């Protein structure tokens, strides 16, 4: 089945989200749609999927114009979509999830789960998905949940599958598996529209690449293009994917963790007897797949979680039972992992968010009284310094894009004298341009002599920033390795393989991932 | 449908970002960054934000709710009136009669409401003509004070339903210290006011501490405390050391003159210093919320407790403090009743102030000034309702109905927007 978009335009009020977009997806092709956050990729996909009606242009399937008044029409036409955030009911089984929305029935309105189960098995076997129809969704790992979504789409006879940022939630290994699945689907004749902003993956799997910027197609590229070329197209200017940095000049070790153990609410060990130190003027990156204790480690350092045992010391002083407020006051800058829930208050203005953890300290307040004039003045300075794009500092922060929101958080945390910086996922959800900026600021903070701990699940980020890398797996540090450790070795360590073995396996070439292969041509 | 089990959710994820990032750096888009669905007028950011405030339903929805409620109240007034009912008997013969009589009934009732609450143009003397307005202010005073307390809770994410109990405690403390102690003038009523605030603060503080320490739901705890306060008052009024010895009625002794809030105007006006206290309290709550570090904490916890905690704010401390301040304000409302108008403590001294205050805070969108204005409106309803009943025979319950409809409409802004075909706030479209 061939899908063609011709001159699609979609407006929201005065804003043109998609401007005159032409796109052809040939049968059995993996077509990557590349663009920054907010470029209009998802809007376009929602037009194809019938969720939005275009204001201009038309959709053609096999050269026949079609109009969709809802997702139902799109599904009937053979289009399936896997959303970035899965549309699954956590307490349902896989078979029930499959039945949801078009419940197959046998006489008397009884749900025919047996046939749903059978469908899961058939599709699962055909593509080697390894999904048990009776597994409960919430018990499945994220990668498996995504496969359930794909099975759902395929069970409705989708010939074109739209994958919206499918790798955002996956580990490197899961990403590899997904890429394998995509290739298999292509061989069976399914077309795939693959939406992403990750260059490495695009080059690993796409047959054709269309780049979108500010709602318009700015060019097509072949998978042979280098990452810098693709990034340049995406952002509209030259982008440095690797941030230039001087070699670290580490000084004294002012921060250290000794035998730190943290339990979760249910009493399970999530951080297991960790010990490490960070020196001034050095970035220690904590790498690991999401959910291996990094979040809890960061939260224990800032005082949001009480350690079960062990000590955390900063500048020769044990932090012990210090409150979050006391730790912030002692100069810890903290960039939380989940910006929208922990980092900013959506309903607060930008200027208020800029003082969220400083509001009661000079110069922003004296006694109980806030100083609105000072707050305003400093906010304007920070907007300037961090190049935050906004209409007014009095607007709610929710009116800003993710990248600009993160800049607000960074301006708050880096805008003062720090004795330690702890940043979790500092560039999650940001576009290439903003990532470059955030990385530069973090390196500047390091060069100013601050010990920095960067927690990240993105290997690219870890490799770009780190002076040393601590890989975490199931609450323990698998190893602390130098920044020039090969990607594949890090990937293996993230899966729990001990340092020595990981390095050995990479050396004999038995553990090279698809994604890193694709990148080889691009590495210096 | 295939994967989109929740289509309304699905398009949001990136569109919201789309709708927001682009105008910031696209010259084509001249609107505000929030202009996801609202073709917001251009102009200065300040003008935009006012517009957005109105359009997002805060003030406009409140005002329109009152309008709709009054209109529906009018229908009820007409329906309940025997004369109007009589014209319905021959409606098809002379439909004009029905409309004329209905119009007369409703307009008379509302005119009486207006005369009873703002200005009585039919009164024989100027004093009598102006008095209704001051009566509205008198009735509004406790509503504003208690309403501010409720509003403070709402802004901090706490559903303090215990206004009633806190008002009762405030009234109890004010009454007791009003007649049990002999103190010099001025000092006496100031002391009684402070004690009333303490009384309310203790009562609300119980709920605050329970919530902060054990996570007990403040809605349930405050509702229970309302009942306890009511029965506590009834009990005290049967105790010989508390109640007036000479009277068989369950009422306390009358407070000393030194404890009474000084009148602002001579007889026959009843307006007292409590209204000034209400104005000061409004200013205080505004300053607290908008200009103090404490208010910053309150609002932060109200909007996003997780982010507040991450920013080093102690959520349990905020919970306790908010409840204490809210209770103190409600307690002052009770004091205004006892020290200002009633002069003694009776079983019904608190009326339904504590519950009306919830409506007042809702109608005022939990903003200090809004709450003040909403309190005035409800005070006017209360004062005007009496004249409406005595002059036109319209039951005072209509006022209650109007108030209830207001609550209903405020709780359902989409309904008001549908009635008046207002655009949905931009936020809703984007998110």
């Amino acid at each position: 089945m061939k899908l063609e978009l011709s001159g699609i335009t979609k407006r929201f009020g005065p804003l043109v989200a998609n401007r005159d977009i032409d796109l052809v997806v040939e049968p059995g092709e993996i077509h990557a749609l590349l663009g920054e956050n907010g470029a209009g990729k998802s809007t376009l996909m929602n037009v194809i999927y019938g969720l939005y009606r275009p204001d201009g242009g038309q959709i053609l399937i096999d050269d026949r114009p079609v109009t969709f008044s809802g997702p139902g029409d799109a599904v009937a036409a053979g289009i399936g979509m896997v959303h970035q955030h899965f549309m699954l009911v956590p307490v349902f089984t896989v078979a029930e999830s499959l039945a949801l929305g078009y419940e197959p029935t046998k006489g008397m309105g009884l749900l025919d789960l047996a046939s749903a189960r059978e469908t899961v098995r058939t599709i699962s076997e055909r593509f080697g998905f390894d999904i048990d129809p009776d597994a409960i969704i919430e018990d499945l790992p994220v990668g498996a949940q995504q496969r359930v979504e794909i099975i759902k789409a395929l069970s409705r006879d989708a010939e074109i599958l739209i994958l919206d940022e499918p790798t955002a939630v996956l580990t490197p290994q899961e990403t590899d598996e997904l890429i394998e699945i995509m290739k298999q689907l292509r061989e069976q004749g399914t077309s795939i529209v693959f939406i992403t902003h990750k260059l490495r993956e695009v080059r690993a799997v796409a047959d054709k690449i269309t780049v979108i910027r500010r709602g318009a197609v700015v060019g097509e590229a072949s998978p042979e293009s280098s990452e810098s070329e693709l990034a340049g197209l995406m952002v509209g200017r030259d982008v440095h994917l690797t941030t230039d940095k001087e070699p670290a000049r580490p000084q004294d070790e002012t921060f250290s963790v000794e035998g730190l153990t943290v339990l979760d609410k249910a009493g399970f060990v999530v951080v297991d007897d960790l010990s490490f130190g960070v020196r001034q003027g050095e970035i220690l990156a904590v790498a690991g797949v999401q959910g291996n204790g990094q979040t809890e480690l960061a939260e224990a350092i800032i005082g949001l979680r009480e350690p079960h045992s062990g000590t955390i010391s900063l500048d020769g002083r044990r932090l012990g039972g210090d409150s979050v407020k006391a730790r912030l006051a002692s100069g810890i800058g903290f960039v939380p992992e989940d910006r929208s829930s922990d980092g900013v208050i959506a309903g607060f203005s930008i200027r208020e968010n800029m003082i969220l953890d400083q509001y009661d300290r000079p110069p922003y307040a004296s006694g109980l009284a806030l100083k609105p004039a000072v707050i305003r003045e400093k906010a304007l300075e920070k907007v300037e310094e961090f190049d935050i794009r906004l209409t007014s500092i009095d607007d709610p922060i929710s009116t800003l894009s993710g990248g600009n929101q993160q800049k607000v958080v960074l301006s708050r945390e880096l805008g003062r004298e720090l004795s330690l910086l702890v940043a979790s996922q500092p560039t999650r959800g940001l576009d290439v341009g903003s990532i470059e900026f955030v990385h530069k600021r973090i390196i500047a903070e390091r060069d100013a002599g601050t010990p920095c701990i960067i927690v990240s699940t993105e290997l690219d980020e870890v490799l770009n920033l780190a002076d040393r890398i601590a890989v975490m797996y199931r609450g323990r540090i698998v190893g602390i390795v130098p920044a020039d450790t090969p990607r594949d070795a890090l990937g293996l360590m993230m899966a729990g393989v001990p340092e020595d073995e990981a390095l050995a396996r990479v050396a004999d070439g038995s553990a090279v991932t698809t994604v890193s292969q694709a990148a080889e041509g691009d590495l210096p | 449908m295939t994967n989109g089990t929740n289509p309304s959710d699905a398009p949001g994820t990136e569109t919201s970002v789309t709708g927001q990032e682009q105008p910031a750096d696209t010259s084509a888009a001249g609107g505000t960054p929030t202009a996801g669905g609202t073709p917001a007028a251009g102009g200065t950011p300040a003008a935009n934000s006012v517009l957005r405030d109105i359009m997002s339903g805060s003030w406009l929805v409140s005002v329109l709710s009152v309008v709709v409620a009054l209109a529906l109240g009018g229908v009820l007034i007409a329906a309940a009136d025997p004369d109007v009912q009589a014209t319905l008997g021959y409606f098809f013969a002379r439909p004009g009669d029905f409309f004329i009589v209905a119009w007369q009934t409703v307009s008379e009732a509302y005119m009486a409401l207006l005369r009873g609450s703002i200005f009585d143009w039919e009164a024989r003397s100027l004093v009598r003509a102006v008095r209704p307005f001051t009566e509205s202010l008198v009735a509004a005073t406790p509503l504003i004070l208690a309403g501010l307390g409720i509003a403070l809770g709402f802004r901090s994410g706490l559903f303090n339903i215990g206004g009633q109990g806190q008002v009762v405690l405030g009234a109890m403390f004010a009454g007791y210290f009003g007649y049990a102690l002999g103190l010099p003038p001025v000092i006496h009523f100031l002391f009684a006011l402070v004690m009333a605030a303490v009384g309310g603060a203790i009562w609300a503080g119980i709920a605050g501490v329970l919530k902060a320490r054990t996570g007990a739901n403040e809605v349930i705890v405050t509702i229970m405390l309302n009942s306890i306060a009511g029965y506590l008052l009834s009990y005290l009024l049967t105790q010989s050391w508390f109640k007036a010895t000479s009277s068989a009625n369950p009422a306390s002794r009358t407070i000393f003159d030194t404890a009474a809030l000084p009148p602002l105007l001579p007889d026959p006006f009843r307006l007292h210093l409590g209204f000034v206290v209400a104005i000061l309290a409004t200013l205080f709550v505004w300053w607290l919320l908008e200009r103090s570090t404490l208010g910053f904490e309150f609002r932060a916890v109200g909007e996003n407790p997780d982010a507040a905690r991450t920013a080093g704010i102690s959520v349990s401390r905020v919970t306790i403090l908010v409840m204490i301040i809210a209770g103190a304000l409600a307690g002052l409302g009770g004091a205004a009743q006892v020290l200002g108008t009633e002069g003694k403590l009776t079983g019904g001294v608190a009326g339904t102030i504590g519950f009306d205050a919830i409506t007042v805070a809702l109608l005022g969108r939990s903003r200090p000034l809004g709450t003040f204005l909403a309190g005035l409106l409800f005070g006017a309803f209360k004062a005007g309702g009496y004249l409406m009943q005595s002059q036109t025979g319209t039951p005072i319950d209509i006022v209650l109905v109007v108030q209830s409809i207001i609550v209903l409409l405020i709780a359902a802004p989409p309904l008001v927007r549908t009635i008046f075909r207002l655009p949905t706030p931009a936020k809703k479209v984007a998110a």
Side-chain angles (χ1 to χ4, degrees):
Chain A
M1 194 169 90
K2 178 183 167 193
L3 172 74
E4 187 175 351
L5 303 184
S6 148
I8 294 286
T9 298
K10 176 70 193 169
R11 292 187 195 88
F12 295 101
L15 173 86
V16 185
N18 287 152
R19 192 193 312 267
D20 199 20
I21 289 192
D22 296 325
L23 188 74
V24 182
V25 183
E26 300 285 350
E29 156 183 284
I30 298 182
H31 194 127
L33 204 58
L34 190 64
E36 292 193 277
N37 289 321
K41 304 177 302 252
S42 288
T43 307
L44 186 66
M45 288 309 109
N46 285 325
V47 167
I48 300 178
Y49 196 53
L51 287 164
Y52 292 156
R53 229 171 275 196
D55 297 315
Q58 56 180 352
I59 304 170
L60 301 109
I61 289 182
D62 291 332
D63 299 322
R64 275 198 320 269
V66 290
T67 46
F68 299 144
S69 58
D73 292 355
V75 170
I79 297 174
M81 184 152 171
V82 175
H83 295 275
Q84 183 175 0
H85 303 282
F86 306 146
M87 306 286 166
L88 293 169
V89 183
V91 296
F92 276 21
T93 66
V94 173
E96 282 168 342
S97 309
L98 198 73
L100 183 67
Y102 89 131
E103 296 78 1
T105 49
K106 43 194 180 191
M108 295 167 57
L110 286 172
L111 198 56
D112 188 4
L113 272 182
S115 83
R117 256 188 223 109
E118 196 44 49
T119 316
V120 174
R121 260 190 221 108
T122 318
I123 298 178
S124 188
E125 269 167 31
R126 204 166 95 206
F127 297 102
F129 279 4
D130 186 27
I131 298 279
D132 172 14
D134 295 313
I136 309 284
I137 296 291
E138 60 187 355
D139 298 339
L140 293 175
V142 178
Q145 290 188 17
Q146 191 168 51
R147 271 173 262 157
V148 174
E149 285 277 29
I150 295 174
I151 292 175
K152 266 171 73 183
L154 294 176
S155 73
R156 269 85 150 173
D157 301 320
E159 290 179 56
I160 296 180
L161 198 58
I162 303 172
L163 303 176
D164 188 359
E165 301 271 3
T167 58
V169 288
L170 302 183
T171 66
Q173 272 73 17
E174 281 176 323
T175 303
D176 263 11
E177 286 170 30
L178 177 69
I179 284 174
E180 275 313 304
I181 288 170
M182 287 166 72
K183 286 180 174 167
Q184 276 189 44
L185 287 167
R186 172 175 63 190
E187 269 153 36
Q188 309 246 354
T190 310
S191 322
I192 294 175
V193 182
F194 176 41
I195 306 176
T196 187
H197 62 261
K198 293 187 185 168
L199 307 167
R200 199 177 288 278
E201 294 160 4
V202 168
R203 299 182 60 234
V205 73
D207 298 315
K208 206 197 272 178
I209 302 168
T210 299
V211 184
I212 293 188
R213 185 168 76 234
R214 292 187 184 170
V217 173
V218 290
E220 294 212 344
S222 76
E224 279 81 46
S225 319
S226 76
E227 286 191 30
S228 322
E229 282 167 30
L230 291 175
L233 268 176
M234 238 163 96
V235 182
R237 61 180 165 83
D238 284 347
V239 181
H240 299 284
L241 291 172
T242 47
T243 316
D244 298 326
K245 57 173 184 184
E246 304 274 310
R249 265 170 304 202
Q251 297 150 34
D252 303 339
E253 183 177 295
T254 54
F255 177 78
S256 66
V257 169
E258 282 303 325
L260 184 73
T261 298
V262 180
L263 307 183
D264 68 4
K265 279 204 185 96
F268 290 106
V269 175
V270 281
V271 172
D272 194 358
D273 195 20
L274 287 198
S275 300
F276 62 89
V278 187
R279 286 177 290 177
Q280 287 184 319
E282 155 186 83
I283 296 177
L284 175 76
V286 178
V289 177
Q290 186 71 41
N292 274 291
Q294 311 96 308
T295 310
E296 289 80 6
L297 170 66
E299 287 180 356
I301 293 173
I302 193 64
L304 285 165
R305 266 174 203 268
E306 205 171 321
H308 176 257
S309 59
T311 59
I312 301 171
S313 334
L314 178 64
D315 293 329
R317 202 175 63 83
R318 281 190 182 185
L319 294 180
D322 284 6
S323 66
V324 177
K325 194 179 266 302
R327 291 177 201 226
L328 287 166
S330 69
I332 302 183
F334 184 69
V335 178
E337 167 182 322
D338 189 334
R339 176 175 55 244
S340 54
S341 79
D342 300 329
V344 301
I345 295 183
F348 270 28
S349 66
I350 293 153
R351 112 185 98 77
E352 285 174 317
N353 271 296
M354 279 179 172
I355 57 164
L356 200 57
D357 55 11
Q358 310 290 314
Y359 63 93
D360 57 352
R361 247 172 275 156
Y364 303 115
S366 64
L368 267 184
L370 293 172
K371 291 177 168 172
V374 179
I375 293 168
R376 173 171 296 279
E377 187 191 322
K378 295 276 177 198
L380 289 171
E381 280 173 19
K382 283 178 182 168
V383 167
E384 189 78 15
E385 185 187 346
F386 284 78
D387 186 30
I388 304 168
R389 310 277 175 82
L390 44 68
T391 317
S392 157
I393 53 166
D394 301 321
D395 284 339
I397 196 164
S398 55
T399 62
L400 298 185
S401 67
N404 280 310
Q405 288 190 17
Q406 188 72 345
K407 283 183 184 175
V408 170
V409 174
L410 285 174
S411 76
R412 178 176 78 211
E413 301 304 324
L414 299 180
R416 58 194 156 107
E417 282 285 301
L418 291 186
S419 54
L420 173 72
L421 173 68
V422 181
S424 289
Q425 313 293 356
T427 59
R428 173 173 286 179
L430 303 194
D431 54 65
V432 178
S434 304
I435 290 174
E436 189 187 2
F437 179 86
V438 170
H439 284 179
K440 269 189 190 155
R441 292 300 310 205
I442 290 175
I443 288 171
E445 192 62 38
R446 174 200 79 170
D447 291 342
T450 307
C452 301
I453 299 174
I454 307 297
V455 176
S456 180
T457 53
E458 300 278 343
L459 266 184
D460 283 326
E461 176 161 79
V462 167
L463 290 168
N464 193 19
L465 285 177
D467 298 314
R468 286 189 302 151
I469 303 168
V471 184
M472 274 186 84
Y473 179 72
R474 296 205 175 151
R476 289 172 169 273
I477 289 184
V478 182
I480 298 184
V481 293
D484 56 5
T485 308
R487 282 183 85 82
D488 291 324
L490 290 171
L492 287 170
M493 287 170 73
M494 282 162 78
V497 178
E499 185 183 339
D500 302 338
E501 192 186 331
L503 287 170
R505 269 164 68 177
V506 170
D508 69 20
S510 65
V512 180
T513 56
T514 326
V515 174
S516 70
Q517 265 175 344
E520 267 170 19
D522 202 32
L523 286 174
Chain B
M1 110 182 84
T2 310
N3 300 298
T5 42
N6 191 354
S8 66
D9 219 356
T13 44
E14 205 184 24
T15 356
S16 59
V17 185
T18 319
Q20 287 150 7
E21 190 173 43
Q22 292 236 328
D25 42 24
T26 309
S27 53
T32 67
T34 44
T38 324
T44 65
N48 277 337
S49 84
V50 170
L51 195 73
R52 194 165 45 235
D53 244 350
I54 293 172
M55 280 310 174
S56 67
S58 47
W59 296 104
L60 204 57
V61 168
S62 290
V63 172
L64 292 177
S65 299
V66 175
V67 172
V68 173
L70 284 173
L72 287 177
V75 172
L76 283 180
I77 291 171
D81 189 81
D83 293 343
V84 179
Q85 285 165 0
T87 62
L88 277 176
Y90 53 94
F91 179 78
F92 291 104
R94 276 191 292 164
D97 272 17
F98 164 76
F99 288 109
I100 291 168
V101 175
W103 171 253
Q104 275 174 349
T105 312
V106 174
S107 59
E108 262 173 35
Y110 279 151
M111 282 303 167
L113 188 68
L114 211 57
R115 275 167 44 213
S117 60
I118 309 288
F119 183 80
D120 189 354
W121 54 86
E122 288 178 16
R124 270 161 292 171
S125 68
L126 182 66
V127 169
R128 285 194 166 206
V130 182
R131 192 167 180 272
F133 181 64
T134 64
E135 281 302 294
S136 295
L137 298 186
V138 170
T141 301
L143 289 174
I144 292 169
L145 285 166
L148 286 170
I150 307 289
L152 191 68
F154 284 162
R155 290 291 292 278
S156 317
L158 289 171
F159 261 91
N160 171 14
I161 308 298
Q164 188 68 14
Q166 293 146 26
V167 169
V168 167
L169 259 283
M172 220 186 275
F173 273 58
Y176 181 75
F177 289 101
Y179 68 74
L181 290 181
L183 286 173
V186 184
I187 292 174
H188 195 171
F189 78 73
L190 284 179
F191 180 73
L193 278 180
V194 169
M195 291 320 290
V198 169
I202 291 173
W203 214 241
I206 294 172
V209 170
L210 285 177
K211 164 123 184 158
R213 293 274 175 273
T214 70
N217 186 307
E218 77 277 12
V219 175
I220 294 165
V221 174
T222 51
I223 289 176
M224 294 303 146
L225 284 172
N226 282 344
S227 302
I228 297 173
Y231 287 115
L232 182 63
L233 179 63
S234 307
Y235 168 78
L236 286 178
L237 289 175
T238 63
Q239 298 304 298
S240 53
W241 59 273
F242 199 86
K243 72 176 227 168
T245 43
S246 59
S247 164
N249 296 328
S252 74
R253 276 177 279 164
T254 309
I255 56 165
F256 289 117
D257 286 347
T258 48
L261 291 170
L264 297 177
L265 294 167
D267 252 13
F269 296 105
R270 296 198 303 161
L271 188 62
H272 54 79
L273 195 72
F275 187 66
V276 177
V277 174
I279 293 175
L280 292 177
T282 308
L283 291 173
F284 166 73
V285 172
W286 175 84
W287 178 85
L288 183 69
L289 280 174
E290 306 297 333
R291 287 284 182 272
S292 78
T293 57
L294 212 51
F296 190 92
E297 293 184 6
F298 290 3
R299 287 185 292 124
V301 170
E303 293 253 0
N304 183 345
D306 290 327
R309 202 174 289 116
T310 307
I313 295 168
S314 159
V315 176
S316 44
R317 187 179 92 109
V318 164
T319 304
I320 295 172
L321 273 178
V322 166
M323 287 306 281
I324 284 176
I325 298 175
L329 287 163
L332 287 177
Q337 279 298 89
V338 174
L339 306 179
T341 42
E342 303 292 326
K344 62 186 171 198
L345 200 58
T346 60
V349 71
T352 57
I353 290 168
F355 296 113
D356 293 345
I358 298 172
T359 319
V360 166
L362 282 175
L363 183 60
R365 294 278 145 190
S366 305
R367 299 297 192 274
L369 180 64
T371 305
F372 183 81
L373 295 176
L376 289 185
L377 179 75
F378 273 52
F381 277 149
K382 210 173 225 179
Y386 294 113
L387 190 73
M388 184 171 80
Q389 175 152 345
S390 64
Q391 294 235 327
T392 67
T394 308
I396 198 166
D397 303 326
I398 285 291
V399 168
L400 200 68
V401 172
V402 169
Q403 290 180 359
S404 310
I405 296 173
I406 290 175
V407 177
L408 203 78
L409 291 174
I410 287 175
L415 187 63
V416 179
R417 278 199 294 269
T418 310
I419 295 174
F420 291 94
R421 301 187 185 283
L422 296 177
T424 319
K427 202 167 45 179
K428 289 274 160 59
V429 174

